[in-house]
Amino acid sequence: MAVTLADVAARARVSAATVSRVLSGNYPVAEGTRGRVLRAVEELAYVVNGPASALAAASSDLVGILVNDIADPFFGIIAGAVQTELSGAAQGGEKLAVVCNTGGSPERELTYLTLLQRQRAAAVVLTGSASEDAAHARALTATLARLADAGTRVVLCGRPTGAATAAETTGAVPGESQGAEEAREPGKARGAGRTLGADETRPRAPLTTLAAPAPLTTLAFDNRGGARQLTAHLIGLGHRRIGCVAGPAGRTTTGERLAGHRAALAAYGIADAPRRTVHGAYDRASGYDAAAELLRREAGLTAIVAANDTAALGVCAAVRDRGLRIPEDVSVAGFDDLPFSVDATPALTTVRLPLQEAGARAGRLAMGRAERPPGGLATLHAELIVRASTSIPYH
């Protein structure tokens, strides 16, 4: 049952009129009283109604899109695809997209979701990785449940949930046998031209503790499988001393990609030496610093895998600044297959995620123009793209 203004008033031991004055901010209220009211609002998770003219069960034409960093092409591609679907609806059915840049802050994420609920958003699309902090996961689950209960469609795009166990059934893909997404025999990489369908699923549960409210829909990327393919490719070329520039610690995407990398090492009997992994942000500067540290720790590394393509550019710069050649001395690989990766020098070997397709599908789901996948979960395949930045070790 929704928390009412009267509930807040009872908790704060004031009148409903006083609560209304505090929340409106238009009337003078004693500081102690204001503090009690605001604490009661927080403790009860009370959400103030949006525009006063809106009916209780009505929703607005607003759709919120939460991203970690809008300047990152990963999020820009997804958000752009979502917005295209919102504006491409039939006349009269268009929605207004509001992009909320969280900067990776769990607190900002919850704040934006609460603000969107106050505005009775028609839908919310959360993109990218989430914090692995258990307290935040519980708060996020409760917030999403309130949104869903209020009639807001909630779509997670590129963000897994604990409901991923629903993906334990395998969808057969035309032209590809089941199980083909596992790490292939080293050296047997798939061709670079194929984009995998957005409806393909994987029999693997992503890593996080977030439970999914029933109406919530998840489009998760196979970060673990993609990372495993990438490292297996390097091992197949003959690399055994492989450094890893991992993403920021405590994020679901980082955990999944690192788990895939380690799984490939284990599958071929290669020790996972802690000195060969350095965490950092998903940007060029962090990629540069992490690669410099890895090469300082172990000058004999013959390959480095990066958290994403942007970090891989920094890795390449650090390698060159040490007077080393790519790929003759050190092979470098990225992740995501962002548009610039093919134009890097040399062109980056990477893992392609269907960002455009995922964003478009999320947009259709947000508009109610696409059927939810079985169990509310679809896990989208990752594809190994082999280019010139990786080769056999020359030394």
Side-chain angles (χ1 to χ4, degrees), residues 23 68 161 163 195 208 289 354:
L23 296 179
N68 288 347
T161 73
T195 300
T208 186
D289 292 342

Side-chain angles (χ1 to χ4, degrees), residues 182-326:
E182 297 297 335
R184 292 170 173 77
E185 179 184 350
K188 302 293 185 180
R190 188 184 302 168
R194 181 171 179 270
T195 300
L196 292 148
D199 289 318
E200 301 177 20
T201 58
R202 291 180 52 81
R204 175 179 290 121
L207 307 174
T208 186
T209 57
L210 176 62
L216 184 148
T217 304
T218 300
L219 305 178
F221 294 130
D222 181 21
N223 288 301
R224 179 183 175 123
R228 180 167 176 161
Q229 287 184 61
L230 184 59
T231 298
H233 161 67
L234 293 170
I235 295 170
L237 291 173
H239 295 277
R240 295 297 182 270
R241 298 188 299 276
I242 305 171
C244 179
V245 175
R251 306 292 297 185
T252 53
T253 296
T254 299
E256 290 180 334
R257 294 182 183 181
L258 191 53
H261 168 68
R262 288 169 172 167
L265 295 177
Y268 298 105
I270 302 173
D272 175 29
R275 69 177 182 279
R276 292 178 180 169
T277 298
V278 175
H279 287 275
Y282 292 110
D283 57 40
R284 184 185 182 280
S286 294
Y288 184 99
D289 292 342
E293 174 62 18
L294 285 170
L295 292 169
R296 184 194 66 78
R297 295 178 182 180
E298 187 172 347
L301 291 177
T302 62
I304 298 176
V305 292
N308 68 350
D309 293 338
T310 305
L313 293 182
V315 172
C316 290
V319 169
R320 290 195 188 95
D321 283 353
R322 290 182 65 93
L324 301 173
R325 300 165 298 166
I326 305 169

